[in-house]
C-alpha cells in the first residue's frame, strides 16, 4: 500500500482489530449520528489475480460496518450476530483506489436490527448490501444466594 496517499477527512485509524481483518490493515473508520463507515486504500492483499478487490473482502467489510452502525445505536449491546447478509455487486473496485463502506441502520428493534450499506471505490458505487442482525444484550452477572 502507498502510505503517502491521503486519508479522506473524517476518517481515523479503526480501533477494532480482529484476526480476520488484521491482514487488511490499515483500516480507517468514520462515524456520524446516523451511520458508520469503514475505509481503506485497496492494496495487493485486497485484490484477486485480475487486480479487482475481492468480493469476499467487500462482503466482510460491509458486514462489519453494518453491524457497527447498528451497535452504535443500541445501549448496553452485548454484541450482534449476523442473521442474513446480501450484497449486490454493481461494478468493480481496483487496487490503488480508496474503498469506502457507508453503513446505516434502517430499523432497530428489541431483538433484530436491520442495516444497509453503499460500497464506493474512489467515490463510484460498486456494491450495495443489506443485513439483519440478532441483538445480544449485555448481561449482568447475578449474585448467587445461599
Amino acid at each position: 500500500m502507498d502510505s503517502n496517499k491521503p486519508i479522506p477527512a473524517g476518517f481515523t485509524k479503526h480501533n477494532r482489530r480482529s484476526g480476520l481483518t488484521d491482514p487488511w490493515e490499515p483500516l480507517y473508520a468514520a462515524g456520524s449520528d446516523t451511520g458508520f463507515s469503514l475505509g481503506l486504500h485497496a492494496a495487493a492483499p485486497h485484490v484477486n489475480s485480475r487486480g479487482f478487490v475481492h468480493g469476499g473482502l467487500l462482503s466482510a467489510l460491509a458486514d462489519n460496518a453494518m453491524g457497527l452502525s447498528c451497535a452504535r445505536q443500541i445501549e448496553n449491546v452485548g454484541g450482534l450476530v449476523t442473521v442474513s447478509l446480501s450484497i449486490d455487486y454493481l461494478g468493480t473496485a481496483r487496487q490503488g483506489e480508496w474503498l469506502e463502506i457507508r453503513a446505516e441502520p434502517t430499523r432497530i428493534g428489541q431483538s433484530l436490527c436491520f442495516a444497509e450499506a453503499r460500497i464506493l471505490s474512489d467515490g463510484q458505487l460498486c456494491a450495495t448490501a443489506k443485513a439483519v442482525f440478532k441483538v445480544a444484550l449485555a448481561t449482568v452477572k447475578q449474585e448467587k444466594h445461599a
Side-chain angles (χ1 to χ4, degrees), residues 12-83:
T12 59
K13 190 93 156 86
H14 187 39
N15 63 1
R16 290 183 56 122
R17 303 282 302 258
S18 76
L20 176 69
T21 60
D22 278 350
W24 303 332
E25 290 290 338
L27 295 174
Y28 298 90
S32 70
D33 290 341
T34 59
F36 182 81
S37 296
L38 287 174
L40 60 84
H41 286 292
H46 311 125
V47 300
N48 60 27
S49 62
R50 293 182 312 268
F52 300 147
V53 173
H54 194 282
L57 173 89
L58 297 177
S59 179
L61 291 178
D63 183 33
N64 192 323
M66 288 186 289
L68 289 170
S69 78
C70 288
R72 293 167 48 92
Q73 304 297 319
I74 303 170
E75 288 188 39
N76 299 318
V77 68
L80 296 168
V81 177
T82 307
V83 173

Side-chain angles (χ1 to χ4, degrees), residues 65 91 95 130:
Q95 186 169 338
K130 292 183 180 184

Side-chain angles (χ1 to χ4, degrees), residues 132-143:
V132 179
F133 300 92
K134 173 73 175 154
V135 178
L137 297 178
T139 57
V140 178
K141 288 185 180 180
Q142 297 195 8
E143 294 181 33

Side-chain angles (χ1 to χ4, degrees), residues 83-112:
V83 173
S84 71
L85 172 69
S86 66
I87 188 163
D88 294 314
Y89 300 100
L90 309 171
T92 57
R94 297 180 184 273
Q95 186 169 338
E97 296 177 345
W98 173 254
L99 185 64
E100 185 174 335
I101 298 88
R102 295 180 185 168
E104 289 192 4
T106 57
R107 194 171 110 219
I108 307 287
Q110 295 268 336
S111 61
L112 293 176

